[in-house]
Amino acid sequence: MSGNQVINSIFSEFQKSLDEEQELREVIRNICKEVDQISRKVTTVLQIIHHNEAEIGAACLQARELFEKANEGYGKLKEAVPPTDYYKYQDHWRFMTQRYCFLISLTIWLEKGILASHETVAAVLGISAVEEKEGFHLDIEDYLVGLLLLCSELSRLAVNAVTRGDYEKPLQISKFVMELNAGFRLLNLKNDHLRKRFDALKYDVKKIEEVVYDLSIRGLLPKAQVAEA
């Protein structure tokens, strides 16, 4: 075999590998598009929390049904992505997964008033909570970004709750977000995107504090909470 034939053979293999990778990326993109569309539906469903307290329970149930569909989508992703190539293709689903971490955490907070753990969020999505070099899993940084998005949404809810005449909700939100803020301050954040999101948390905290302070000076805090505030 001549030198030219050897080079042609080598580059033919390169082209074959590139074509296979492109085909896989297209499969991943199509799956992510479907799963991301579900997250947008959940976002729309949960917007009711800012307008109608009575409908929150029904909205959470509907969100749960949509999470089950998302779980199926993540199952397809797990099948499509080779275990050794998780980080190679992660950019396709990273921001989508961060949104799901936020939406799942918000739903669980609305249902129970508690923090959704990393393991719980991973279980809802049907993926591993163990961060490994290989295999599909829920990246801890994606989970943390989801929690920061949650704080932003709760700061908005604190304001809207007051306009509905619900003066207890801002206090509940304040306690929860302050605890999360304290937890984040224990972390040494080196990821640029995550650190920027954390920097924005102080504005969410300030907004919530202003709502609680305004309720306090107007004498609108529930009597049992006045001492704590």
Side-chain angles (χ1 to χ4, degrees), residues 74 77-78 81-88 90 93-94 97-98 101 118 121-123 125-143:
Y74 274 92
L77 271 178
K78 284 194 296 183
V81 179
T84 55
D85 291 343
Y86 174 85
Y87 289 103
K88 182 177 181 179
Q90 187 185 18
W93 59 78
R94 176 185 288 278
T97 299
Q98 291 172 358
C101 289
H118 177 247
V121 174
L125 294 175
I127 57 181
S128 174
V130 180
E131 192 163 334
E132 301 173 319
K133 292 182 179 179
E134 297 183 3
F136 209 100
H137 61 269
L138 178 57
D139 194 302
I140 291 175
E141 290 182 350
D142 291 342
Y143 166 73

Side-chain angles (χ1 to χ4, degrees), residues 9-10 23 26 35 47 50 56 78 87-88 94 97 105 114-115 120 129 138 156 160 162-163 167 180 189 195 200 217:
S9 176
I10 291 173
E23 289 176 6
E26 190 61 29
V35 180
Q47 286 306 297
H50 297 289
I56 290 180
K78 284 194 296 183
Y87 289 103
K88 182 177 181 179
R94 176 185 288 278
T97 299
S105 298
I114 62 173
L115 173 66
T120 298
L138 178 57
R156 180 184 168 211
N160 290 327
V162 172
T163 64
Y167 305 138
L180 269 184
L189 302 176
R195 189 171 62 248
I217 62 174

Side-chain angles (χ1 to χ4, degrees), residues 24-166:
L24 178 55
R25 284 189 182 278
E26 190 61 29
V27 169
I28 293 172
R29 271 195 291 267
N30 288 334
I31 296 172
C32 287
K33 185 177 180 180
E34 293 176 6
V35 180
D36 193 41
Q37 190 61 38
I38 296 170
S39 76
R40 296 180 190 282
K41 290 181 181 178
V42 178
T43 301
T44 301
V45 166
L46 291 179
Q47 286 306 297
I48 195 68
I49 70 176
H50 297 289
H51 313 293
N52 192 336
E53 180 80 19
E55 295 295 324
I56 290 180
C60 289
L61 286 175
Q62 193 174 347
R64 286 283 187 176
E65 292 173 359
L66 290 168
F67 291 147
E68 290 179 8
K69 294 181 179 179
N71 182 300
E72 295 173 6
Y74 274 92
K76 293 178 183 177
L77 271 178
K78 284 194 296 183
E79 291 178 5
V81 179
T84 55
D85 291 343
Y86 174 85
Y87 289 103
K88 182 177 181 179
Y89 299 106
Q90 187 185 18
D91 284 346
H92 286 287
W93 59 78
R94 176 185 288 278
F95 294 112
M96 175 183 77
T97 299
Q98 291 172 358
R99 187 182 302 116
Y100 270 110
C101 289
F102 151 59
L103 293 170
I104 293 169
S105 298
L106 175 61
T107 301
I108 290 175
W109 186 86
L110 291 169
E111 292 173 336
K112 305 176 182 178
I114 62 173
L115 173 66
S117 69
H118 177 247
E119 293 77 10
T120 298
V121 174
V124 172
L125 294 175
I127 57 181
S128 174
V130 180
E131 192 163 334
E132 301 173 319
K133 292 182 179 179
E134 297 183 3
F136 209 100
H137 61 269
L138 178 57
D139 194 302
I140 291 175
E141 290 182 350
D142 291 342
Y143 166 73
L144 292 175
V145 170
L147 294 186
L148 291 170
L149 293 172
L150 171 65
C151 291
S152 293
E153 189 71 5
L154 290 179
S155 70
R156 180 184 168 211
L157 178 58
V159 174
N160 290 327
V162 172
T163 64
R164 295 199 310 267
D166 182 352

